[in-house]
Amino acid sequence: MKFIEPHGHMVSRTTDDYTKLALSGCMAVCEPAFWAGFDRATAAGFYDYFRQLTYVEPARALKFGLRHYCWLCINPKEADDPVFAREVMSLIPEFLKANNVLGIGEIGLNKNTRNELLIFEEHVQLALLHDLPILIHTPHLEDKRKGTRLMLDALANFPKLAREKVIIDHVEEHTIASVLDQGYWAGMTLYPDSKCSPNRAIDMVELYGKERIWMNSACDWGHSDPLAVPKCALEMRKREHSDEEIEKIIYHNPIHFLNQSPNFARDFPTLNPST
Amino acid sequence: MPTRKKLLDLQFIEARHKLIELAAFLDRIDRHSGPDDERLQAMQAVLPILLEKNPGRAARILDGLSDMSEEMLESAPFQGAFGAPMNHTPRIS
Ligand SMILES: [Zn+2]
């Protein structure tokens, strides 16, 4: 079964993980820019991170037969200082020229502060300026509900924003309806201890339908599982979802969304009907 | 869609395991001394939702463990999260 890992922090993963992903049918990994587990001391630290995402990691992935794409931004955990955040954001346009960049992400909120929201809105402006898709991180645990609402309210103030080009990630049962109702895509993150379990994600597929939804592992430097997506596919099979339905969620839906990114549309082979 | 029986055959043992883990966790907390904790209060407040008859229990439990405050701070006093609101913030419906 083919799948796409639409959200994996591969710079934190081992070569064994790449091998397992390739063996289990992964066709591409997409890596949003995020927190490294510590706050970077300087904007130059982000300059090097962006180099890693746009030049180093794609070459590493290719050794395992995997395409690697990335999203760029300053993540919400490090965006609470607007002066620093803007310094990092000023580096992004140069890297948008790299041929594996999908869009702006994962932007969002962490502790739902005014500073974070300001930088979130400036990232949305940046994406609009370059006509790129947006990947949005919603906060963890007790902060998710409020953060999701704040961002949906903020996004509603951008009349030119094409909502089908925005995916709001890490949705759970208490946030998914508002995201889908307002026309955005929803990402379900399969995480061992927090976020969503495979069975809860499948419940949401059964309750909310198979449109504008994807699943990801968000594997990173913490306790997480790069094979969470294919493992969830197996659970779907146990719950009598057809192979076609499963492949729609884990392969065709990500392609559908990512195809809105010029670099993905040009590069990913199955998108060309003639191939 | 599998029948209810098939789903029970697949998942009952796992759900039973999680239920007993939760009960043992609450027993364990009771056996240890210390000040009252907002996380524990929040968990106790949402437990009755498990016994409700209407669907949407998971969403209601998540809501019960969520920060329902309206106000926003300028800047974050810390980065992480606890799993339940840790200060007495006004609730919204
Ligand atoms: Zn992430």
Side-chain angles (χ1 to χ4, degrees):
Chain A
M1 188 168 291
K2 287 188 286 194
F3 73 99
I4 285 177
E5 172 51 84
H7 188 147
H9 299 287
M10 301 312 293
V11 300
S12 304
R13 307 304 305 194
T14 64
T15 50
D16 281 358
D17 291 337
Y18 269 122
T19 303
K20 287 179 201 160
L21 280 165
L23 283 171
S24 57
C26 185
M27 303 302 286
V29 288
C30 308
E31 175 152 10
F34 201 57
W35 195 51
F38 65 97
D39 289 352
R40 276 152 282 215
T42 62
F46 279 90
Y47 186 88
D48 285 340
Y49 179 49
F50 294 157
R51 285 175 56 226
Q52 191 178 16
L53 290 177
T54 53
Y55 297 106
V56 180
E57 207 57 34
R60 199 163 81 101
L62 209 56
K63 289 183 182 159
F64 301 86
L66 282 166
R67 283 179 157 76
H68 176 282
Y69 304 93
C70 73
W71 301 78
L72 298 177
C73 74
I74 175 166
N75 67 84
K77 280 199 187 211
E78 289 170 282
D80 198 39
D81 173 352
V83 174
F84 181 71
R86 287 180 187 128
E87 193 183 348
V88 174
M89 287 176 73
S90 72
L91 304 172
I92 293 174
E94 172 188 344
F95 286 95
L96 293 180
K97 295 171 194 146
N99 61 15
N100 75 329
V101 177
L102 297 169
I104 300 299
E106 55 186 303
I107 60 171
L109 297 176
N110 176 48
K111 294 305 294 178
N112 301 327
T113 69
R114 289 185 196 283
N115 283 340
E116 291 167 6
L117 191 62
L118 192 64
I119 295 303
F120 169 77
E121 290 169 335
E122 290 180 22
H123 275 108
V124 175
Q125 283 290 5
L126 183 67
L128 285 172
L129 185 68
H130 294 274
D131 193 23
L132 289 169
I134 300 174
L135 193 158
I136 294 177
H137 161 98
T138 52
H140 300 299
L141 300 170
E142 71 268 27
D143 299 315
K144 184 179 299 294
R145 189 184 192 278
K146 179 176 174 178
T148 302
R149 183 179 58 79
L150 285 168
M151 289 190 284
L152 289 173
D153 289 351
L155 290 171
N157 293 325
F158 289 91
K160 291 198 177 126
L161 187 71
R163 295 188 177 189
E164 69 276 8
K165 285 178 82 167
V166 178
I167 182 145
I168 300 185
D169 215 334
H170 320 317
V171 298
E172 291 183 73
E173 289 88 340
H174 58 328
T175 57
I176 185 171
S178 56
V179 167
L180 291 175
D181 286 351
Q182 294 186 38
Y184 302 99
W185 279 67
M188 297 184 292
T189 297
L190 308 163
Y191 228 54
D193 300 323
S194 58
K195 305 194 178 83
C196 200
S197 67
N199 271 309
R200 286 171 54 204
I202 300 165
D203 292 337
M204 286 191 268
V205 168
E206 291 174 355
L207 288 166
Y208 295 96
K210 298 175 181 70
E211 300 304 325
R212 286 186 287 120
I213 276 182
W214 78 27
M215 292 176 182
N216 59 67
S217 75
C219 59
D220 56 12
W221 44 267
H223 184 205
S224 49
D225 180 3
L227 295 186
V229 171
K231 285 177 183 172
C232 188
L234 291 179
E235 290 300 322
M236 286 185 80
R237 196 178 275 165
K238 284 193 215 167
R239 287 172 60 171
E240 300 182 7
H241 289 256
S242 70
D243 285 355
E244 292 72 32
E245 289 171 324
I246 297 169
E247 201 160 271
K248 174 172 170 56
I249 300 283
I250 67 175
Y251 187 62
H252 295 292
N253 277 5
I255 289 174
H256 185 136
F257 180 83
L258 296 168
N259 194 24
Q260 300 177 98
S261 175
N263 280 338
F264 191 89
R266 188 183 55 245
D267 183 67
F268 196 76
T270 61
L271 287 173
N272 183 347
S274 65
T275 56
Chain B
M1 293 279 272
T3 62
R4 181 178 285 188
K5 172 161 187 326
K6 265 192 180 171
L7 210 51
L8 282 162
D9 290 346
L10 267 179
Q11 299 183 353
F12 179 77
I13 298 293
E14 185 190 341
R16 178 185 188 275
H17 166 78
K18 288 175 180 164
L19 185 63
I20 296 165
E21 277 292 324
L22 177 59
F25 169 70
L26 293 171
D27 285 348
R28 196 175 311 133
I29 292 291
D30 280 349
R31 282 191 287 111
H32 292 74
S33 57
D36 224 1
D37 189 289
E38 285 154 299
R39 288 170 294 187
L40 191 59
Q41 290 170 1
M43 184 177 274
Q44 286 161 341
V46 299
L47 283 177
I49 294 171
L50 290 175
L51 297 175
E52 291 175 6
K53 295 289 180 208
N54 47 335
R57 299 175 189 90
R60 290 198 295 283
I61 286 181
L62 282 162
D63 279 346
L65 298 174
S66 293
D67 173 13
M68 295 289 201
S69 67
E70 290 273 13
E71 65 270 26
M72 292 176 73
L73 294 174
E74 200 67 27
S75 174
F78 56 88
Q79 276 186 333
F82 298 96
M86 289 297 280
N87 48 3
H88 294 287
T89 43
R91 304 235 144 199
I92 56 169
S93 55

